[in-house]
Amino acid sequence: MSTTLSAHSLAAITNFFYQHSGIRLQPTKRQLVVSRLTREAARLKCATLDDYVTRILAAPQSDEARHVIDLLTTNETYFFRESEHFKQLAHLLRHDPGRQMLRVWSAAASSGEEAYSIAMTLARHAGARPWEVIGTDLSTRVVAQARQGLYVAERCSRIEQADLKRWCLRGEGAYRGQVLMNRELRAKVRFEVGNLLHPMPELGLFDVIFLRNVLIYFEGEAKSQLIANVIQRLKPGAYLYTGHAESLRGTPHPGLQQVAPSIYRAVEDESRNRHTKLG
Ligand SMILES: C[S@@+](CC[C@H](N)C(=O)[O-])C[C@H]1O[C@@H](n2cnc3c(N)ncnc32)[C@H](O)[C@@H]1O
């Protein structure tokens, strides 16, 4: 099979991806597109990558087209990534006992490591208060992985021993070398497919939202829309964490006050009240 991809096909497939994800892949990402689509094109016995692109664009709602969106997203994540946020969450839980039902959203959850890390932190520090964690992601593939909660053991090295013992099962036999989040933990964490470019009122409101390592893929109008959608899901006084390398600077974020690097808090003012009423 020929792996050449014409400039026309590259523009067409990256445009298709942009329409569905809001993420603009620059022409410099040609090699990434080629390497991620080649195996799929071969599987469907397409003579060229251009043929595969034509096929996808002819059926943009098909399972194969959804699969392409999955392939082109970048899902890198790991347990307790950017650990400061988990320390801050623990601090919040210990010093803000006024919060009752604690709801935390891992927006752009990828394969679930972030959501399970949040759950372990809540289990340890929430005391008697009920809590729940919801993880959402654009990619159906990673959401399926997250629901399964099965990870390669080496990727669990940042989980503390006590949490490993309490919440994780070491695989045996065919599952040797893997770690499964136990049933009790999985029951506390729900995963849904969701596009942050669309408002998600059905999720309800949250005390803390992790919106990490996803803003970097967005700019301009799409980034503003995404942030507006997320802000609508914050309870008054709730917290929003962004990735350490990310910033809301230059993008409107009405009703949010920065309280630490990459941590924002929803304050109650007129514009924010308008937002919460919409939800
Ligand atoms: C690099 S991962 C970040 C995972 C995790 N938040 C972390 O910090 O480790 C970025 C995730 O954002 C998801 N994503 C990209 N665009 C999205 C969108 N429009 N709506 C929801 N999720 C999106 C991707 O599928 C990917 O799993």
Side-chain angles (χ1 to χ4, degrees), residues 111-123:
S111 37
E113 289 89 330
E114 179 177 89
Y116 290 120
S117 305
I118 295 168
M120 290 179 206
T121 307
L122 287 167

Side-chain angles (χ1 to χ4, degrees), residues 17 20-23 69-70 72-79 81-82 106-115 136-142 193-198 200 210-218 226 243 246:
F17 181 60
H20 286 81
S21 69
I23 299 170
I69 294 168
D70 280 357
L72 294 180
T73 48
T74 297
N75 308 113
E76 168 65 11
T77 186
Y78 45 90
F79 285 99
R81 181 179 196 175
E82 298 177 1
S106 166
S110 189
S111 37
E113 289 89 330
E114 179 177 89
T136 61
D137 201 279
L138 178 69
S139 160
T140 45
R141 177 177 53 86
V142 291
V193 175
N195 188 341
L196 292 167
L197 292 177
H198 303 152
M200 291 191 243
F210 282 62
L211 178 69
R212 307 188 315 158
N213 303 301
V214 63
L215 288 174
I216 34 167
Y217 303 113
F218 293 88
L226 190 155
E246 296 171 318

Side-chain angles (χ1 to χ4, degrees), residues 231 234-236 255 266-276:
I231 290 177
L234 287 165
K235 291 180 189 174
V267 291
E268 286 183 90
D269 68 9
E270 267 314 294
S271 61
R272 169 146 177 96
N273 285 340
R274 274 203 300 280
H275 276 294
T276 44

